[in-house]
Amino acid sequence: MNELTILATLASVHWVALMSPGPDFALVVQNTTRYGRQTGLYIALGLSCGILLHSILSLTGISYLVQQHPALFAVLQLLGGSYLLYLGIGALHGLWKSRHNKKRNDHETHPQKPNYLLSSKRQAFSRGFATNILNPKALVFFVSLMSSLVPVGMSMAAKGAALIILWGLSLLWFSLLAWLLSSPRLQLKMQKAAKYIDSVCGIVFTLIGFTILLNSVTDITVMAFS
């Protein structure tokens, strides 16, 4: 298999994986719906940079070493699961709080307008980056992807091209998703369904985070008694 074929296969597999529902997808949908296009685009940039770092770590073998050391991988699972659980509980708590404030404001002469804006572009970028880089499933995916498709003897130019492709496709997909979701007509419809989107995304983050934490605790328990 020549290097062009390898790169084309790598791009195809990665593109399919990007479109699969998961924490990254849910993060873009939830925040673009709630905060608008600019926030969605900065989250897309953060996610794509997280994917780039995962790709570099996998290509250099660092991620493989982490995966092969149960204690290190368990720590990553604890961090990743805790962060996703934090996002999920935060989304559900925010939804409950907004409903509570709405009921309270209905009885006030001058209701307070809720502030749904993230504090900065940096926060949006950081949230996207952290969500991807702390996801242990992403680490396993890129280790598997690189080890199965990128041969050891592949040229440095081709490896560099692989990194650019993975980063570029990620940025393209998440930016496109944020752009489409924030079109004026669709944004109006999405805003009406914002509470349902927040609920679904909150549940998704909570379930994934809880599952990762449960796996981590199980692995740590097995290591402790082995």
Side-chain angles (χ1 to χ4, degrees):
M1 186 183 295
N2 60 48
E3 291 183 343
L4 287 177
T5 304
I6 292 173
L7 291 175
T9 304
L10 192 69
S12 300
V13 174
H14 183 55
W15 184 255
V16 172
L18 284 172
M19 292 187 289
S20 303
D24 295 351
F25 184 90
L27 190 72
V28 174
V29 172
Q30 180 193 24
N31 288 278
T32 302
T33 300
R34 179 62 73 186
Y35 306 130
R37 177 172 293 172
Q38 186 179 74
T39 296
L41 292 175
Y42 273 93
I43 285 177
L45 181 60
L47 289 170
S48 63
C49 287
I51 288 172
L52 176 61
L53 182 55
H54 266 304
S55 303
I56 293 173
L57 294 176
S58 298
L59 202 59
T60 55
I62 295 175
S63 292
Y64 177 77
L65 293 177
V66 173
Q67 188 184 15
Q68 294 304 306
H69 286 76
L72 289 177
F73 190 65
V75 170
L76 178 62
Q77 284 184 310
L78 280 173
L79 291 174
S82 298
Y83 184 72
L84 292 176
L85 192 62
Y86 161 77
L87 290 181
I89 294 176
L92 295 176
H93 178 262
L95 183 63
W96 175 84
K97 190 175 181 180
S98 66
R99 288 181 176 178
H100 176 73
N101 288 339
K102 184 178 182 302
K103 290 180 179 178
R104 186 181 64 184
N105 290 337
D106 288 340
H107 295 86
E108 293 180 356
T109 307
H110 301 288
Q112 298 177 353
K113 185 178 180 180
N115 179 20
Y116 291 129
L117 296 177
L118 291 177
S119 60
S120 66
K121 299 172 184 177
R122 182 180 298 178
Q123 184 181 359
F125 173 87
S126 300
R127 186 171 296 182
F129 182 80
T131 299
N132 184 269
I133 202 64
L134 291 177
N135 186 356
K137 292 185 177 181
L139 182 145
V140 174
F141 170 76
F142 282 103
V143 167
S144 302
L145 186 68
M146 295 299 187
S147 61
S148 61
L149 291 180
V150 179
V152 178
M154 193 174 188
S155 67
M156 290 300 296
K159 289 181 179 179
L163 294 177
I164 293 173
I165 288 172
L166 293 174
W167 176 78
L169 287 177
S170 304
L171 181 60
L172 174 63
W173 166 247
F174 291 124
S175 296
L176 181 62
L177 184 61
W179 187 274
L180 293 175
L181 290 174
S182 58
S183 63
R185 179 177 297 182
L186 187 57
Q187 184 73 9
L188 182 61
K189 294 180 180 179
M190 297 291 283
Q191 287 288 351
K192 293 179 180 179
K195 60 181 180 180
Y196 303 108
I197 295 173
D198 283 348
S199 298
V200 172
C201 291
I203 292 171
V204 168
F205 285 130
T206 301
L207 289 178
I208 294 176
F210 179 77
T211 301
I212 292 174
L213 281 177
L214 184 61
N215 290 337
S216 175
V217 172
T218 302
D219 292 343
I220 292 173
T221 303
V222 170
M223 286 188 290
F225 288 95
S226 62

